[in-house]
Amino acid sequence: RILSKPDEPRVPSIFKSLGLDWDERVLPSIGNEVVKSVVAQYNAEQLLTQRDRVSRSVRESLMSRAADFGIILEDVAITHLSFGAEFTKAVESKQVAEQDAERAKFVVMLAEQERNAQIIRAEGESDAARLVSEATRAYGSSVIELRRIEACKDIATTMSKSRNVVYLPHTSNMLLNMAP
């Protein structure tokens, strides 16, 4: 969209050289010329992402070029910028590929963190086993017995809180001790 007017002091020469339809004769041709030259300076992605910069560059170039013909441009705006279906599909494919690459980087990073966590866990277990082994050597099997008692205590606490646990006597003739 271009809003224009002739430069008042040059109106007679504009009408002599270009005629009364000066705007219809000059603006479309310089508009196409300027738009093509400016658009050629950017790649397709920049045309989409830097729309303001492209618009400003087109506006400045059009104003300069129109001044050569004695035309003053009051406003220039790019209202519609479209690309062919094939180009649009290529841009979308590129964006999908970039998203897939980012997702793959994330998966690799996650796997690496998981691997590091497993290494740290294994080192911790190794240190714990080493400490138990040293304690066993230093104090005998009492450390292992203490661990066994602690484990039994934890199991008993857990089972006592469960509703699905039934306690049976240790003897095998439980049914024989019941009176009719």
Side-chain angles (χ1 to χ4, degrees), residues 27-42:
L27 294 179
S29 63
I30 66 170
N32 285 334
E33 172 190 325
V34 166
V35 168
K36 285 180 183 178
S37 70
V38 169
V39 167
Q41 297 172 9
Y42 298 93

Side-chain angles (χ1 to χ4, degrees), residues 20-107:
L20 294 175
D21 59 346
W22 56 270
D23 56 343
E24 293 174 11
R25 296 177 90 196
V26 174
L27 294 179
S29 63
I30 66 170
N32 285 334
E33 172 190 325
V34 166
V35 168
K36 285 180 183 178
S37 70
V38 169
V39 167
Q41 297 172 9
Y42 298 93
N43 66 32
E45 185 177 339
Q46 290 172 325
L47 289 174
L48 292 172
T49 59
Q50 300 176 6
R51 184 172 275 188
D52 291 337
R53 185 173 170 191
V54 173
S55 181
R56 190 175 339 106
S57 182
V58 166
R59 182 181 310 109
E60 291 168 359
S61 297
L62 261 177
M63 287 181 168
S64 170
R65 188 76 174 100
D68 295 342
F69 292 94
I71 300 171
I72 298 171
L73 299 181
E74 293 178 338
D75 188 30
V76 177
I78 297 176
T79 57
H80 182 68
L81 184 62
S82 64
F83 300 99
E86 186 175 309
F87 173 77
T88 303
K89 186 174 181 180
V91 169
E92 289 173 357
S93 296
K94 180 183 176 190
Q95 289 174 339
V96 167
E98 287 174 350
Q99 290 172 352
D100 288 345
E102 286 297 319
R103 191 176 299 118
K105 282 182 192 176
F106 177 74
V107 167

Side-chain angles (χ1 to χ4, degrees), residues 141-178:
S141 63
S142 60
V143 172
I144 295 174
E145 184 64 24
L146 177 65
R147 293 284 180 140
R148 188 180 70 76
I149 292 170
E150 288 173 352
C152 288
K153 182 179 174 186
D154 289 343
I155 292 170
T157 302
T158 303
M159 289 180 69
S160 69
K161 292 178 182 175
S162 176
R163 294 182 184 184
N164 297 329
V165 175
V166 176
Y167 296 99
L168 298 176
H170 181 62
T171 61
S172 61
N173 58 3
M174 181 183 87
L175 293 176
L176 296 176
N177 291 339
M178 294 179 73

